[in-house]
Amino acid sequence: MPDIVAEVDLLIQDAPVSQLDAGALGGDVGKERKKLILSGGVNDRFLDGPACRRIAVVDFDPTTGDPLPPPAAFTPFASNPRSGRYVADDDPTSAANIAINTFGTVFQTVRMFEGPDALGRQVAWAFGSEQLLIVPRAGEWANAFYDRGTRSLQFFSFPDEAGNRVYTGLSRDIVSHECGHALLDAVVPSLYDSSTPQSVAIHEAVADLIAVIMALDSGRLRQAVLAVSDNSLSGPNAFNNIAEEFGMARPGADGMARTALRRLQNDSTLASLASERPHVLSTLLSAIFYDTLCTIFMTRFKDERMPDEGGEAPSTEEAANKALGTALIIFRRFLLRGIDYLPPGELSFADVGRATLAADRAARPDADAAEGLL
């Protein structure tokens, strides 16, 4: 049977910061149309909500907590009623838009995580039932979280200093980060109740890196970032800055203004972060992995710029885009298959390093050890 498809328009970047340099892709990166795909051979379908068998939106009035009807309707195609579209209204902060954005981003994150070039199998949720719930308007709070007890991802909203409302469900980084917590809990459930600083920090670092992968998954965003960064992943960009809108709306612990909630490219050391809370400590591990991504990209970029047998060489832009797409595949496999190698119990950053290297050796047993991940 043919696949079942739901078309959605998803934000590529936090709404207020979706405009990159005016010269990149003509300016506004904005939204990107995605096809959410269910296998036609399984007992599943898309429903109002949005909802499907494994993921479903449940909406509540954010001020009263009263349950509300599904905010987004599934509109079937006339030619194929099992497939269709989720269409929102013109209000970018409407219940329908927030529901579609959270559902679509979670769906895409799960499919990426379970894909054949990533984990390679479907996970079973740690809460013991089949469906992960999404609460896109959970109330007033500068927060978002995954909760195993209610088998849900919950996204809140809050006003910034200028009185503009920030919706965490409209941030691709935040949505994929929280979904990353649920996916990591499915693979390494013992980490959920861990209490050591590095164990907690591992959860945060992996969730941030899943957000990086989902940002890299956008071809338009890859092209835009490379266009404004002279084909480099160094310096602040949409990949190593996590949750820009949230970060700009809330000053850091020292009261200083910031451009993102967390930055994954830094020069921190374990000694300098040893006494910090887990979210800050996590940036050490995520920075190590981001540096690895940069190294893979630069090595592939150099290779892609080499002339072929006929002496023809691609343009710098073509070589950079192809290199970053290849780097994404390598990095995704390395990180997510490494997660599957983690032992149970309290873990350290060293455990993550050993697990990811073991996963890479298993994936490429004939590779020269000197090649590393390259």
Side-chain angles (χ1 to χ4, degrees), residues 27-272:
D28 189 6
V29 175
K31 289 188 174 184
E32 191 169 52
R33 181 156 297 178
K34 293 288 189 179
K35 291 184 177 181
L36 312 183
I37 301 173
L38 297 170
S39 172
V42 300
N43 182 21
D44 204 350
R45 59 182 299 188
F46 289 108
L47 301 170
D48 293 349
C52 62
R53 186 164 185 167
R54 295 185 66 204
I55 306 165
V57 164
V58 289
D59 196 33
F60 298 94
D61 187 307
T63 57
T64 66
D66 292 337
L68 296 172
F74 180 67
T75 304
F77 294 141
S79 59
N80 180 11
R82 299 183 76 198
S83 294
R85 291 199 65 198
Y86 288 108
V87 183
D89 50 42
D90 294 331
D91 178 2
T93 62
S94 69
N97 263 307
I98 300 171
I100 291 170
N101 199 71
T102 52
F103 177 84
T105 304
V106 168
F107 188 100
Q108 290 288 88
T109 304
V110 173
R111 291 299 294 265
M112 176 281 298
F113 190 94
E114 297 176 340
D117 58 351
L119 193 68
R121 60 182 172 83
Q122 181 173 304
V123 301
W125 301 118
F127 42 76
S129 57
E130 190 174 18
Q131 195 174 60
L132 175 68
L133 302 179
I134 302 171
V135 185
R137 303 190 302 159
E140 176 96 6
W141 195 9
N143 204 359
F145 57 82
Y146 159 66
D147 180 58
R148 184 196 285 177
T150 58
R151 60 188 180 99
S152 68
L153 306 176
Q154 303 198 28
F155 301 97
F156 297 81
S157 67
F158 62 96
D160 63 15
E161 293 182 349
N164 302 309
R165 186 153 291 276
V166 176
Y167 295 88
T168 59
L170 291 178
S171 168
R172 181 210 52 232
D173 287 347
I174 293 175
V175 175
S176 54
H177 173 102
E178 299 307 333
C179 183
H181 280 305
L183 290 164
L184 181 56
D185 190 31
V187 177
V188 195
S190 60
L191 264 183
Y192 187 80
D193 295 317
S194 296
S195 58
T196 61
Q198 288 196 24
S199 288
V200 179
I202 288 168
H203 235 292
E204 297 302 328
V206 170
D208 273 352
L209 292 166
I210 288 174
V212 172
I213 291 172
M214 292 308 295
L216 286 163
D217 191 56
S218 168
R220 292 185 65 201
L221 188 59
R222 292 199 305 268
Q223 184 178 347
V225 169
L226 291 172
V228 300
S229 65
D230 194 24
N231 298 312
S232 170
L233 296 186
S234 297
N237 60 47
F239 303 136
N240 57 42
N241 276 351
I242 300 296
E244 292 93 337
E245 183 184 14
F246 192 110
M248 290 187 288
R250 281 288 188 270
D254 55 5
M256 296 292 290
R258 52 187 180 176
T259 58
L261 183 59
R262 281 182 295 282
R263 293 185 61 185
L264 305 191
Q265 195 166 46
N266 58 73
D267 298 320
S268 300
T269 64
L270 186 57
S272 67

